[in-house]
Amino acid sequence: MQEMIWGVIGIIIMIVSVVFLVRLLQLKKHGITVLAEVLEVSELTVGRKKRVNGYAHKMRYEVNGKMIEAVDKAGYNQPFEVGSKQLIVYDPKKPERFEYEDGLKKNIVLFAVMIAVTVVFSAYWIAGGTGIL
């Protein structure tokens, strides 16, 4: 029974990874690449001691003649300099949703590897954890 539970956990992680991978691939295929300016940087903190866990960036970029300001969800370890320019890929249907161009490529590879690992993990546990695989 415990083997099945671990197998199901792996399948759930795999399904979530597939959903994220599909979203990233759609953004890569249909997204529009633009140069965005960093307007401000804010610290992402955790815990009572407010330990810095990363940095969020407010970006400004032009979409069809309209200026969009949106905050990234990446949580970078090093902040970008205010006023610097970054290449981003935004969703034409939801221009506020964007990914950094270099991060998009890395995340596609990351989620593809995660799917492969969870397939093996789930298959191992569903097979009973017997080492057949």
Side-chain angles (χ1 to χ4, degrees), residues 49-119:
K49 294 183 180 180
K50 302 288 184 189
R51 184 176 58 85
V52 175
N53 195 37
Y55 297 90
H57 304 89
K58 186 175 190 177
M59 309 295 287
R60 179 174 47 207
Y61 49 98
E62 188 175 342
V63 175
N64 299 326
K66 179 181 173 189
M67 295 306 283
I68 303 288
E69 292 183 6
V71 178
D72 68 20
K73 294 175 175 65
Y76 276 77
N77 291 332
Q78 296 293 321
F80 296 135
E81 191 174 318
V82 173
S84 66
K85 307 280 186 185
Q86 301 293 325
L87 278 176
I88 64 166
V89 180
Y90 71 86
D91 183 346
K93 294 179 183 173
K94 296 180 186 176
E96 303 81 28
R97 184 178 165 262
F98 71 91
E99 294 279 339
Y100 295 102
E101 184 183 45
D102 60 341
L104 180 62
K105 294 172 187 173
K106 291 175 189 173
N107 288 338
I108 287 171
V109 171
L110 174 73
F111 281 106
V113 168
M114 189 179 305
I115 290 166
V117 168
T118 55
V119 165

Side-chain angles (χ1 to χ4, degrees), residues 24-70:
L24 290 172
L25 289 171
Q26 286 177 339
L27 185 60
K28 183 171 174 54
K29 183 176 181 179
H30 301 290
I32 299 170
T33 304
V34 295
L35 199 57
E37 179 183 5
V38 179
L39 293 180
E40 57 184 73
V41 179
S42 57
E43 294 180 341
L44 304 173
T45 59
V46 294
R48 279 188 242 154
K49 294 183 180 180
K50 302 288 184 189
R51 184 176 58 85
V52 175
N53 195 37
Y55 297 90
H57 304 89
K58 186 175 190 177
M59 309 295 287
R60 179 174 47 207
Y61 49 98
E62 188 175 342
V63 175
N64 299 326
K66 179 181 173 189
M67 295 306 283
I68 303 288
E69 292 183 6

